[in-house]
Amino acid sequence: MGKLHIVGGGAIGSLIAASSQKNGVPYDCYPRDMKTMPSCAHWQNGQTTALKPAKPSPIVLPKSDVLIIPLKVYQLKAALLQWLPYLTQQPTVVLLHNGMGGLEIARDLLGGDYPLLLATTSHGALKVSTSSGFHVKYTGVGATQIGAPNVNKPSPQSLAALSQIAPQLASAIATLDKALPPVQYQNNILKALWTKLSVNAVINPLTALHNIQNKHIAKPEFEQSRISICNEFTQVADAYGLDFDALSVHENVLSVAKATGENYSSMHQDVAHGRQTEIDAINGYIVDMATKKGIPVPENTLLVERVKALKL
């Protein structure tokens, strides 16, 4: 089993670290700021897991190890540039973030044939500041979907098939599944990422703009906006060969909003704490992709403008 190397000290990365600790998977964390790295995780059953001390700087990774980058899309380029000199053995790199655009950045810096995995997770985690330091709180049980975008088409239909042609990637997925299960292989990971994008495109900006929890998105007052976002998303996605149905997209958004009802979205939290948001990688990505196809997306365009106009 390879070792996991987790970049940053954010909520999801810290959750992976804590779950690795609990499940006996070797790992190290490399936060940007050592002072804000969580020291422990609090699980839903009341148990606490202490994290091992973080590492101050990158090291050269062997091919069998896995570098996980659970950062914002706008942080990805700087992180990859920092790690690039330490990736000479070509260990597996896992991109785990909201929004889109990370694959293009990674391919530009690593090349189109690098052993790369794209992942999206529905696990919920919150980084909490207390008088004794930073902790991470597990707020919602979920699953991680993962795929190999650089493997030659047609994509292997199963993890067993992937292991035949890319055993390094299959081994990395197995390690991640032991660290924070369940990890589900997706032969069409881009479809899964676009599905996640459709949810984020509705929940994130609306919760940020109206200062509300996810559950309030399901209220009738937001129906017209929800439907418009989903219709525009579907037009754009289908223009790129993805097969979505606007009604099903909207139903899925409502389902996720209710299932995560007590949570505050990541964009809400970014705005609340004066941080840069991921609006460019979510609704902004839809606008960019629509522009390339000549598709008008007024609702998404307005949301981008409104979120950027919020005072940080």
Side-chain angles (χ1 to χ4, degrees):
M1 177 176 23
K3 186 174 187 178
L4 302 182
H5 301 266
I6 304 162
V7 180
I12 291 296
S14 300
L15 178 67
I16 296 171
S19 193
S20 298
Q21 179 79 33
K22 193 165 72 164
N23 293 321
V25 176
Y27 73 96
D28 275 317
C29 295
Y30 304 82
R32 184 176 51 182
D33 185 352
M34 298 284 281
K35 295 190 296 293
T36 63
M37 178 71 203
S39 59
C40 65
H42 299 294
W43 306 102
Q44 291 182 311
N45 63 4
Q47 291 182 340
T48 298
T49 298
L51 275 66
K52 61 190 285 193
K55 300 288 185 181
S57 56
I59 58 169
V60 174
L61 304 186
K63 190 176 184 70
S64 58
D65 283 4
V66 182
L67 181 68
I68 307 174
I69 310 182
L71 302 179
K72 314 274 191 185
V73 173
Y74 62 77
Q75 298 170 321
L76 180 58
K77 184 175 181 179
L80 279 173
L81 286 172
Q82 181 188 19
W83 275 92
L84 209 50
Y86 305 94
L87 303 180
T88 52
Q89 304 298 313
Q90 291 209 318
T92 301
V93 169
V94 181
L95 305 184
L96 180 60
H97 52 67
N98 281 334
M100 302 287 277
L103 176 60
E104 293 86 344
I105 294 169
R107 281 178 171 165
D108 186 46
L109 293 175
L110 300 174
D113 58 354
Y114 192 90
L116 182 72
L117 292 169
L118 289 183
T120 177
T121 191
S122 57
H123 287 291
L126 186 64
K127 186 173 175 177
V128 181
S129 175
T130 70
S131 57
S132 59
F134 286 85
H135 303 164
V136 64
K137 182 179 178 183
Y138 191 24
T139 57
V141 177
T144 299
Q145 298 179 78
I146 199 164
N150 289 347
V151 172
N152 292 335
K153 304 292 183 187
S155 297
Q157 293 296 304
S158 66
L159 188 57
L162 178 69
S163 68
Q164 295 298 311
I165 63 170
Q168 178 183 341
L169 295 179
S171 176
I173 293 172
T175 302
L176 288 167
D177 186 48
K178 185 176 181 185
L180 181 60
V183 175
Q184 302 157 344
Y185 171 73
Q186 296 285 337
N187 71 301
N188 189 351
I189 188 60
L190 290 181
K191 178 72 180 281
L193 290 174
W194 276 80
T195 300
K196 179 75 176 285
L197 177 66
S198 69
V199 174
N200 285 332
V202 179
I203 293 178
N204 274 277
L206 293 182
T207 54
L209 287 167
H210 298 279
N211 190 25
I212 52 177
Q213 292 167 296
N214 292 0
K215 63 185 177 184
H216 298 295
I217 294 305
K219 289 182 176 179
E221 65 201 82
F222 297 111
E223 182 177 16
Q224 192 55 54
S225 186
R226 290 194 315 261
I227 291 173
S228 296
I229 298 166
C230 292
N231 286 343
E232 292 177 7
F233 165 86
T234 302
Q235 289 180 56
V236 176
D238 289 357
Y240 284 89
L242 295 146
D243 186 21
F244 282 96
D245 169 70
L247 184 60
S248 298
V249 169
H250 184 243
E251 289 174 350
N252 185 51
V253 167
L254 287 176
S255 175
V256 174
K258 290 171 183 175
T260 62
E262 298 302 317
N263 293 357
Y264 287 100
S265 75
S266 58
M267 191 174 293
H268 174 280
Q269 289 296 288
D270 286 339
V271 170
H273 292 94
R275 299 187 297 250
Q276 183 177 344
T277 74
E278 295 178 278
I279 192 68
D280 284 331
I282 299 177
N283 303 82
Y285 185 83
I286 295 172
V287 173
D288 289 343
M289 299 300 275
T291 301
K292 292 173 183 176
K293 295 286 188 179
I295 301 170
V297 284
E299 188 74 21
N300 281 276
T301 301
L302 180 62
L303 286 172
V304 173
E305 293 171 353
R306 289 182 64 197
V307 170
K308 288 189 171 184
L310 290 174
K311 289 185 178 180
L312 296 180

